[in-house]
Amino acid sequence: MSASTATTANQRSISNLTAIPSGEELILEIQLGKLVLGQVFGFKTDQGVKLSLSDMSSAFDFVIESDIENNSASGWVRNPNNTFELQRTDNGDWSVLNRGSTTVYPNQTIQLEDDFYVDLALYQTWFDLNFDVNYSTLVVETKSNTPLPIEQKLAREQRSKDIYQTSNTARAPLLKHDYQPISKPLIDMQGSVNVRDSDTSHSLSVLGTNDIAYFNTQYYFAIDENNDIDSAHLSGSRYSLDNNLLGPLKASTVEFGDIRPTQINTLESNNLSIGARVSNKSLTYNGGNSVNLIGSIQAGWDVEVYRNQLLINSQINVSDGQYEFQNIPLVFGYNEIELVFYGPQGQVNRETRDYYVSSTGQSEGEFIYDISLINEGERLIDQNLLNNNEDNGLSTLIRVDYGITDWWSVNLGSQLYHQQGVSSFDKRALGTEVSLFGSALLSLDTIEEDNGDYDRRYQIDTSLLDQSISFTTRDYQATDQDGEIDSFESQELRLSGSLPSLKLSYQQSFEQIKASDNEEYVRLINQLGANIKNSYLSNRITWSSRDDAETVGDWQIQRYLNEYFVRLGNNYSVSPEFDINSFFAEISGEIENDVTGRIRFLHDFDTQSSETALITSWQPNEFSITSNLIYNERTGWRASLLGRVGIGLSQDNNAFFTNKSLSSQSTLSARVFFDKNNNGRFDKGDSPLENVEVETTQNRRRATTNSQGVAILTSLPSYQKTDIKIDLSKQEEGFLIRADEGVSIAPRPGALQTIDIPVVQSLEIEGYAQELQRNGDLINKARVPILLKDLSGKTIKEVTSEFDGYFLITEIVPQPYTLEIDPAYLRDFSYQLSTSITLNGTETGVLDNQNLTLRKAFELNGFSAELASFSHIESLRGYWKILTHRFPNLIQRRYFYSKTESGYQLYVGFDEEPKQANSICAELTAGKVTCSVKAITRR
């Protein structure tokens, strides 16, 4: 079948045909919607443009390989069943097999040089695409009737990012933060003075942490108005992401002091107790349908937990220095957990964590242990004051998890008491998780006590149409100190998910409960969360068939109005009769620089009383001072003054102060300096750089360096790896560049990590890639890959010469390099020689005219004197040495050899005319050496 007119097809889609003269080399950008697929090389023709087959295949992710030597290309388009073959026919035309049929194209439609260059109209036919070329912008817009492999691949990658944000992964080398014999402390201090009527009270809380004896020590105490310790805890810990603690135990966690002991099962929750704990459990989430959220916080803060934009739980006015949310349920699939912290000065801080539920989190043969020895209920500091729990007693808690297969894991747990007279009983726990083909997760958990009490839960989680479904049945019995038994049975179906088009998240639960008095009732809970015109609205309503079918709810709306944060909401009842129980509203924001204000109003309709609070806060970077003026219609006036400061020491031993919390998470002290001697260390003669922005890329924390070149970044999430990048755009001196290859950190809680970031004057290299012609002329060569290599041979930078042969390499750290043309390019396109340029590391600024030359092998016909052949190259060279002794005139002639099947053939001299070869042979023959004149071709 002839297709001589195929190249003129669809010419209406190609614009600006006459803007560029025919024969001009082009580099066009291929776009598919908003995606940039790559750049392709080609040249203008009278009919349109011819483009490289290799570049086009690469851009669209088609599997087509070119064989230039054999004038052919082969592979497949879109799917392996659609075979593609291109080859030259005997009469010089081109035969193409595509979509099961063969088409013959005239010779001029496909041009063979260093690649196959094909008319764009043919690509439209072969690839089932439509192109629109804009020659003024050098852009080719692409449309496809069916999804391309590259579109499907990008969609899969995007789904993966949506699931677990894999693109948000640190890439730079990890800079470890080892524990130290003694480290610089991080301390948060908060003090307040309170006035009510004629009474005045005060309080002080201190939360601090630092390394001591290669362990991290954390301490907290709060003092009340009587100067008594109101709350306190002290603990030491050491953690390892690499599980390299305690030798053969390969522990990840060692804790002692006031600790949170082993959780023998997800049904069990524990409080702080004095003791010790060892575990090899991963420090990050690795599976399961619930998670514990625990952390340090200053007194007086509120904390809310959101899952996929739904409010799940909250703690108000935390007073003991630690927030904790145990067994927060996770839905099947993706979970975005957001912790929102509301400070007494009106601060609103947010922390986001991502979890994905689909498997047990354990691989086949993986063994996890967690062991604690505690004195339950006791605290290390001032036990007589703090500890009055009748359950006090020494006990051991053990939990082991084992992955039977990649989809089935089991866990066993136990708590054993070692003292008589303790009112608690020994406990035994059993659990298992089964991943059902990655589409559902089945979990069974049970705890049994020696007195017959138990807690059992059976749960299955799955998803349908991207909506999560969970069914749980639970059976519980507990006996109090008076011997009264409390029990219940429940079955709950929970649906949750989101409707992105409506910006709506929801959770609906249906629960049937049977209480200990055999009372049976149904409870329905509906939660909605929606983003409506920059406002977040949440509502929760609960209906129960007990208590006269009571229906209660609460709603809250929050948003930013210009620079002010507004929250308002109320609690309400719908049945037995509609009633509004309470209403609150608050607005906070910046009044002027470093001064914020907050007004809060609360009205209780049951007591018909209101409370109004005016809160102002002065918050320079170093500290914060807040005043509270509150009026309650029932209790009258009260006022308070609260101050807060975080204190630490940077790497230059200068104290820094901040209004942020330092001890609850991790802090980074980054020093940026101009490295005058380019040795990577801050030493004499180096200059700190002020006004450089330092950012933790994945955690999105930013700070600007001070006059000492130091930036303090606070509240870094624990063990979440993040790259550290800097912004030098505000520096007056140009051409500055970071001297190292970048670093990432995995912050550990309660620690100050310090890093030095060297900056140097950058180097730029520009030049041309040129090809040496047979006549000695140099022509600029496009699309030549240029490599910049360090002394080890590692490629540091790679660029490709432009259409006119020009190349530019920027942002180079001065050090010894070699600039060369990619050897693979020379080999693939049969170039025999290229030049290279060596840099000694002292160069700075712009190096121009760094031209690189390459040439193909030139074929020359001429005559040479053919001598003997040898089986070994050493023999040939020895023979030549003997000949030059016998015939000194040969020294003026060059010898060479060719490799043959039998060995090495020796030749002497080469010239386009036979005269030189005849003269050599005449002299050798006279000396009785065999010689003959041969016409040969050399490269």
Side-chain angles (χ1 to χ4, degrees):
M1 180 177 67
S2 174
S4 59
T5 61
T7 58
T8 61
N10 299 313
Q11 290 297 323
R12 290 186 305 273
S13 65
I14 301 176
S15 59
N16 305 320
L17 288 179
T18 59
I20 299 176
S22 180
E24 185 77 16
E25 293 181 340
L26 303 173
I27 297 180
L28 301 178
E29 183 177 275
I30 304 295
Q31 293 185 358
L32 180 65
K34 295 182 179 180
L35 300 175
V36 177
L37 301 186
Q39 294 183 326
V40 298
F41 181 78
F43 53 87
K44 187 72 172 57
T45 65
D46 293 336
Q47 291 75 30
V49 63
K50 281 180 167 29
L51 298 177
S52 160
L53 177 60
S54 297
D55 287 355
M56 290 289 282
S57 302
S58 176
F60 290 101
D61 208 16
F62 295 152
V63 184
I64 299 177
E65 294 185 1
S66 299
D67 186 352
I68 305 300
E69 293 185 1
N70 295 315
N71 297 338
S72 65
S74 61
W76 47 271
V77 175
R78 293 183 182 264
N79 67 77
N81 296 325
N82 185 15
T83 302
F84 178 90
E85 292 183 0
L86 166 67
Q87 57 185 0
R88 190 184 286 275
T89 63
D90 293 339
N91 62 0
D93 292 333
W94 297 99
S95 171
V96 175
L97 172 64
N98 187 37
R99 301 184 191 176
S101 62
T102 300
T103 305
V104 177
Y105 296 96
N107 175 56
Q108 64 271 18
T109 60
I110 301 174
Q111 189 167 332
L112 179 59
E113 293 185 1
D114 58 344
D115 195 2
F116 294 98
Y117 291 90
V118 182
D119 280 340
L120 186 62
L122 284 188
Y123 287 120
Q124 296 184 137
T125 302
W126 296 348
F127 295 168
D128 191 22
L129 299 169
N130 292 316
F131 297 112
D132 187 359
V133 185
N134 189 320
Y135 288 98
S136 61
T137 60
L138 298 179
V139 170
V140 181
E141 295 182 359
T142 307
K143 293 182 180 180
S144 175
N145 296 324
T146 58
L148 290 163
I150 186 65
E151 289 181 285
Q152 297 169 341
K153 176 181 178 182
L154 292 171
R156 290 192 299 270
E157 291 177 351
Q158 186 59 47
R159 287 196 297 270
S160 176
K161 293 176 184 177
D162 293 339
I163 287 174
Y164 205 64
Q165 297 186 356
T166 54
S167 65
N168 198 29
T169 302
R171 301 180 181 277
L174 178 65
L175 179 64
K176 290 189 176 182
H177 188 197
D178 295 329
Y179 288 82
Q180 303 171 46
I182 184 74
S183 70
K184 300 168 183 177
L186 297 172
I187 297 176
D188 293 325
M189 299 182 63
Q190 181 170 291
S192 66
V193 177
N194 305 283
V195 179
R196 184 169 185 170
D197 296 330
S198 59
D199 296 332
T200 301
S201 63
H202 65 269
S203 65
L204 173 69
S205 65
V206 176
L207 179 61
T209 179
N210 63 284
D211 288 354
I212 299 177
Y214 298 101
F215 283 86
N216 182 257
T217 302
Q218 188 171 84
Y219 35 91
Y220 171 82
F221 63 89
I223 300 174
D224 60 19
E225 65 273 10
N226 297 318
N227 294 326
D228 293 328
I229 296 179
D230 181 57
S231 178
H233 59 76
L234 173 65
S235 63
S237 61
R238 181 160 181 156
Y239 304 103
S240 171
L241 288 170
D242 301 323
N243 289 64
N244 58 7
L245 303 179
L246 301 182
L249 292 181
K250 297 181 178 180
S252 62
T253 300
V254 177
E255 298 174 335
F256 56 88
D258 295 322
I259 66 167
R260 192 164 302 279
T262 300
Q263 188 178 22
I264 64 172
N265 190 275
T266 56
L267 296 174
E268 187 81 352
S269 59
N270 296 309
N271 297 316
L272 286 178
S273 297
I274 183 174
R277 173 174 172 246
V278 177
S279 175
N280 71 338
K281 185 178 181 180
S282 171
L283 298 177
T284 57
Y285 170 81
N286 64 341
N289 51 22
S290 66
V291 66
N292 295 332
L293 305 173
I294 301 172
S296 299
I297 190 174
Q298 273 287 7
W301 282 62
D302 303 339
V303 188
E304 292 179 343
V305 179
Y306 292 82
R307 185 195 64 219
N308 296 337
Q309 298 185 353
L310 284 178
L311 178 63
I312 301 298
N313 207 338
S314 64
Q315 290 181 5
I316 305 300
N317 195 22
V318 177
S319 60
D320 63 353
Q322 191 170 60
Y323 69 86
E324 59 175 272
F325 301 93
Q326 297 202 31
N327 299 323
I328 294 294
L330 301 176
V331 300
F332 191 85
Y334 175 64
N335 295 260
E336 180 186 68
I337 299 295
E338 184 179 37
L339 292 167
V340 183
F341 304 89
Y342 300 97
Q345 298 97 349
Q347 307 100 314
V348 181
N349 299 331
R350 300 175 186 272
E351 179 182 324
T352 302
R353 307 176 186 180
D354 299 317
Y355 303 93
Y356 189 74
V357 177
S358 67
S359 66
T360 67
Q362 286 184 257
S363 57
E364 181 178 353
E366 183 180 4
F367 176 77
I368 297 174
Y369 67 86
D370 197 328
I371 304 173
S372 297
L373 177 64
I374 64 169
N375 195 358
E376 190 171 36
E378 294 283 348
R379 295 287 184 91
L380 191 62
I381 299 176
D382 203 353
Q383 298 181 26
N384 293 330
L385 178 65
L386 296 175
N387 308 316
N388 53 11
N389 193 324
E390 296 181 0
D391 291 338
N392 290 355
L394 191 65
S395 69
T396 301
L397 298 93
I398 302 175
R399 171 170 172 161
V400 295
D401 296 68
Y402 184 73
I404 298 176
T405 67
D406 287 339
W407 50 268
W408 180 19
S409 67
V410 296
N411 64 79
L412 300 172
S414 175
Q415 182 173 11
L416 304 175
Y417 288 89
H418 305 300
Q419 292 177 262
Q420 299 296 324
V422 177
S423 59
S424 297
F425 294 88
D426 291 350
K427 301 176 183 179
R428 297 171 302 279
L430 170 67
T432 184
E433 288 185 328
V434 180
S435 177
L436 304 177
F437 309 104
S439 299
L441 183 65
L442 175 65
S443 59
L444 296 85
D445 295 284
T446 177
I447 297 179
E448 310 285 339
E449 296 190 36
D450 281 354
N451 67 340
D453 288 348
Y454 56 82
D455 192 357
R456 302 164 186 152
R457 182 182 65 191
Y458 313 95
Q459 180 171 327
I460 185 168
D461 298 276
T462 187
S463 64
L464 179 66
L465 300 177
D466 292 329
Q467 309 302 301
S468 298
I469 304 173
S470 176
F471 178 76
T472 305
T473 178
R474 190 163 183 179
D475 190 5
Y476 172 85
Q477 175 182 301
T479 305
D480 63 20
Q481 294 179 353
D482 298 327
E484 296 292 329
I485 296 178
D486 180 27
S487 66
F488 74 87
E489 298 177 10
S490 69
Q491 294 79 39
E492 180 186 14
L493 176 64
R494 186 173 68 238
L495 308 176
S496 60
S498 63
L499 303 173
S501 60
L502 301 177
K503 298 182 179 180
L504 175 70
S505 299
Y506 74 91
Q507 178 170 290
Q508 178 68 59
S509 68
F510 308 84
E511 189 173 12
Q512 179 173 316
I513 302 172
K514 181 179 180 181
S516 56
D517 55 1
N518 290 323
E519 179 189 11
E520 295 189 22
Y521 61 95
V522 175
R523 182 167 59 196
L524 305 180
I525 302 176
N526 175 267
Q527 289 178 265
L528 295 175
N531 286 296
I532 304 174
K533 293 184 177 179
N534 299 320
S535 298
Y536 175 74
L537 173 66
S538 64
N539 181 76
R540 175 170 51 194
I541 186 168
T542 302
W543 174 84
S544 174
S545 62
R546 71 188 308 192
D547 297 334
D548 299 325
E550 182 183 40
T551 303
V552 297
D554 61 85
W555 64 267
Q556 176 178 300
I557 187 171
Q558 59 188 45
R559 68 166 297 165
Y560 280 95
L561 291 175
N562 295 324
E563 297 180 355
Y564 295 95
F565 181 70
V566 179
R567 285 201 303 167
L568 56 91
N570 72 3
N571 297 329
Y572 59 88
S573 300
V574 177
S575 62
E577 60 182 20
F578 181 80
D579 192 13
I580 297 177
N581 303 322
S582 65
F583 171 81
F584 81 92
E586 68 177 37
I587 181 171
S588 60
E590 188 176 60
I591 300 174
E592 58 182 43
N593 288 340
D594 300 331
V595 178
T596 61
R598 182 181 183 186
I599 300 175
R600 183 178 63 218
F601 174 78
L602 173 65
H603 183 77
D604 190 326
F605 290 94
D606 293 334
T607 62
Q608 289 299 315
S609 64
S610 299
E611 180 178 280
T612 304
L614 173 62
I615 305 169
T616 57
S617 179
W618 179 34
Q619 300 182 71
N621 291 329
E622 294 79 12
F623 59 88
S624 63
I625 297 177
T626 300
S627 65
N628 292 264
L629 185 63
I630 302 172
Y631 176 74
N632 187 288
E633 292 180 345
R634 300 181 65 189
T635 61
W637 291 93
R638 66 182 187 271
S640 65
L641 186 66
L642 184 146
R644 182 169 177 268
V645 63
I647 307 172
L649 291 174
S650 62
Q651 57 262 68
D652 55 6
N653 290 320
N654 286 326
F656 63 87
F657 303 88
T658 176
N659 57 24
K660 303 285 196 310
S661 174
L662 294 176
S663 56
S664 59
Q665 294 178 307
S666 181
T667 302
L668 173 68
S669 176
R671 178 169 53 191
V672 184
F673 64 96
F674 183 75
D675 191 6
K676 188 174 182 181
N677 56 6
N678 197 17
N679 65 354
R681 299 189 303 271
F682 183 74
D683 44 29
K684 186 176 181 179
D686 293 339
S687 305
L689 293 180
E690 187 177 3
N691 205 25
V692 177
E693 185 178 86
V694 182
E695 179 184 2
T696 56
T697 307
Q698 281 69 35
N699 298 334
R700 299 182 179 90
R701 304 291 196 271
R702 295 183 180 89
T704 302
T705 58
N706 57 21
S707 59
Q708 301 301 314
V710 175
I712 305 296
L713 292 87
T714 61
S715 303
L716 302 179
S718 301
Y719 301 114
Q720 294 186 18
K721 294 182 180 179
T722 179
D723 292 322
I724 309 299
K725 74 174 186 180
I726 61 175
D727 181 3
L728 298 166
S729 61
K730 296 181 181 179
Q731 298 301 300
E732 294 181 1
E733 186 173 357
F735 299 103
L736 293 181
I737 185 176
R738 183 172 179 167
D740 60 11
E741 59 181 341
V743 296
S744 65
I745 61 172
R748 56 182 175 89
L752 171 68
Q753 185 165 2
T754 61
I755 64 171
D756 282 343
I757 303 176
V759 171
V760 295
Q761 195 85 28
S762 69
L763 172 67
E764 294 187 358
I765 303 174
E766 64 177 5
Y768 287 86
Q770 300 176 319
E771 182 176 356
L772 178 64
Q773 303 297 297
R774 183 189 295 270
N775 60 5
D777 291 341
L778 290 172
I779 63 169
N780 295 338
K781 183 67 175 173
R783 301 176 65 219
V784 177
I786 311 296
L787 306 181
L788 185 69
K789 295 183 176 181
D790 61 16
L791 290 178
S792 68
K794 177 183 177 182
T795 299
I796 305 300
K797 298 271 189 176
E798 179 176 358
V799 298
T800 301
S801 62
E802 298 178 9
F803 67 94
D804 59 353
Y806 175 79
F807 67 85
L808 172 65
I809 308 177
T810 62
E811 297 185 346
I812 305 170
V813 177
Q815 65 181 48
Y817 294 109
T818 298
L819 185 69
E820 63 180 34
I821 296 173
D822 188 350
Y825 176 84
L826 300 175
R827 181 181 62 253
D828 293 343
F829 295 100
S830 302
Y831 284 100
Q832 185 155 340
L833 183 66
S834 71
T835 58
S836 62
I837 298 174
T838 301
L839 306 178
N840 59 26
T842 61
E843 300 88 351
T844 57
V846 179
L847 295 182
D848 55 6
N849 295 321
Q850 303 300 302
N851 302 329
L852 295 174
T853 304
L854 70 166
R855 72 169 178 85
K856 289 184 177 292
F858 302 146
E859 292 188 350
L860 299 176
N861 296 320
F863 298 87
S864 183
E866 183 183 73
L867 279 67
S869 62
F870 302 85
S871 57
H872 297 90
I873 188 65
E874 292 82 4
S875 301
L876 183 149
R877 289 170 177 161
Y879 180 72
W880 174 250
K881 187 177 294 186
I882 295 172
L883 281 182
T884 55
H885 281 294
R886 288 186 56 193
F887 304 95
N889 290 334
L890 291 180
I891 297 177
Q892 303 175 13
R893 309 296 183 184
R894 295 186 60 184
Y895 82 95
F896 60 94
Y897 59 86
S898 64
K899 185 100 168 47
T900 64
E901 293 183 0
S902 59
Y904 302 88
Q905 179 66 55
L906 176 62
Y907 295 93
V908 180
F910 180 81
D911 195 77
E912 295 180 359
E913 301 295 331
K915 180 178 180 181
Q916 183 187 95
N918 286 328
S919 174
I920 294 172
C921 280
E923 181 179 1
L924 294 177
T925 303
K928 299 184 177 181
V929 175
T930 302
C931 179
S932 61
V933 177
K934 293 290 185 180
I936 62 173
T937 300
R938 290 196 65 186
R939 290 185 175 181

